[in-house]
Amino acid sequence: MADGGFPALRRALGGSAPEGLRALADDDLDHLAAAILDARRRQGRALAEAGERSLSHIPRLLRGPIRKLVG
Protein backbone atom coordinates (compact mmCIF):
# COMPACT_ATOMS: atom_id res chain seq x y z
CA MET A 1 0.00 0.00 0.00
CA ALA A 2 1.35 3.41 -0.94
CA ASP A 3 0.44 5.41 2.17
CA GLY A 4 -0.11 2.35 4.32
CA GLY A 5 -1.60 1.83 7.69
CA PHE A 6 -5.13 2.40 8.82
CA PRO A 7 -6.29 4.51 5.81
CA ALA A 8 -5.27 1.72 3.43
CA LEU A 9 -7.24 -0.79 5.48
CA ARG A 10 -10.30 1.46 5.46
CA ARG A 11 -10.09 1.74 1.67
CA ALA A 12 -9.74 -2.02 1.33
CA LEU A 13 -12.84 -2.50 3.48
CA GLY A 14 -14.73 0.17 1.57
CA GLY A 15 -15.47 2.35 4.58
CA SER A 16 -14.88 2.06 8.27
CA ALA A 17 -12.61 -0.35 10.08
CA PRO A 18 -12.74 -1.42 13.72
CA GLU A 19 -10.86 1.13 15.80
CA GLY A 20 -9.12 -1.65 17.72
CA LEU A 21 -7.08 -2.41 14.60
CA ARG A 22 -5.23 0.88 15.04
CA ALA A 23 -3.12 -0.96 17.61
CA LEU A 24 -1.50 -3.01 14.82
CA ALA A 25 1.75 -1.92 13.22
CA ASP A 26 1.54 -0.27 9.78
CA ASP A 27 3.16 -3.32 8.16
CA ASP A 28 0.50 -5.57 9.67
CA LEU A 29 -2.27 -3.23 8.54
CA ASP A 30 -0.80 -3.19 5.03
CA HIS A 31 -0.66 -6.97 4.99
CA LEU A 32 -4.28 -7.21 6.18
CA ALA A 33 -5.45 -4.69 3.55
CA ALA A 34 -3.62 -6.60 0.81
CA ALA A 35 -5.16 -9.89 1.99
CA ILE A 36 -8.64 -8.35 1.91
CA LEU A 37 -8.14 -6.99 -1.61
CA ASP A 38 -6.78 -10.34 -2.79
CA ALA A 39 -9.74 -12.19 -1.25
CA ARG A 40 -12.17 -9.83 -2.98
CA ARG A 41 -10.47 -10.39 -6.35
CA ARG A 42 -10.57 -14.16 -5.88
CA GLN A 43 -14.21 -13.99 -4.82
CA GLY A 44 -15.09 -11.94 -7.90
CA ARG A 45 -13.38 -14.44 -10.19
CA ALA A 46 -15.11 -17.35 -8.45
CA LEU A 47 -18.50 -15.70 -8.84
CA ALA A 48 -17.88 -15.02 -12.53
CA GLU A 49 -16.80 -18.62 -13.09
CA ALA A 50 -19.86 -19.92 -11.22
CA GLY A 51 -22.09 -17.78 -13.41
CA GLU A 52 -20.50 -19.15 -16.55
CA ARG A 53 -20.80 -22.72 -15.28
CA SER A 54 -24.46 -22.17 -14.46
CA LEU A 55 -25.08 -21.13 -18.07
CA SER A 56 -23.75 -24.48 -19.25
CA HIS A 57 -27.02 -26.04 -18.03
CA ILE A 58 -29.04 -23.83 -20.37
CA PRO A 59 -29.51 -24.66 -24.06
CA ARG A 60 -27.04 -22.75 -26.28
CA LEU A 61 -29.73 -20.79 -28.12
CA LEU A 62 -30.96 -19.29 -24.85
CA ARG A 63 -27.58 -18.43 -23.33
CA GLY A 64 -27.12 -15.10 -25.14
CA PRO A 65 -30.54 -13.67 -24.22
CA ILE A 66 -30.20 -14.94 -20.64
CA ARG A 67 -26.75 -13.31 -20.34
CA LYS A 68 -28.32 -10.01 -21.40
CA LEU A 69 -31.12 -10.39 -18.87
CA VAL A 70 -28.80 -11.33 -16.01
CA GLY A 71 -26.12 -8.80 -16.84
Side-chain angles (χ1 to χ4, degrees):
M1 303 283 121
D3 60 356
F6 200 71
L9 179 61
R10 288 184 60 207
R11 278 193 307 282
L13 290 172
S16 64
E19 288 296 317
L21 293 176
R22 286 187 185 272
L24 296 174
D26 280 349
D27 287 344
D28 294 332
L29 290 169
D30 289 344
H31 183 71
L32 181 56
I36 290 169
L37 292 173
D38 181 55
R40 287 196 173 167
R41 280 190 293 271
R42 285 184 286 118
Q43 182 183 32
R45 282 194 304 269
L47 286 170
E49 290 171 8
E52 288 299 315
R53 279 194 312 270
S54 68
L55 286 175
S56 70
H57 299 286
I58 297 171
R60 284 193 189 275
L61 291 174
L62 297 175
R63 290 180 194 173
I66 289 177
R67 268 195 188 103
K68 287 181 184 178
L69 286 173
V70 174

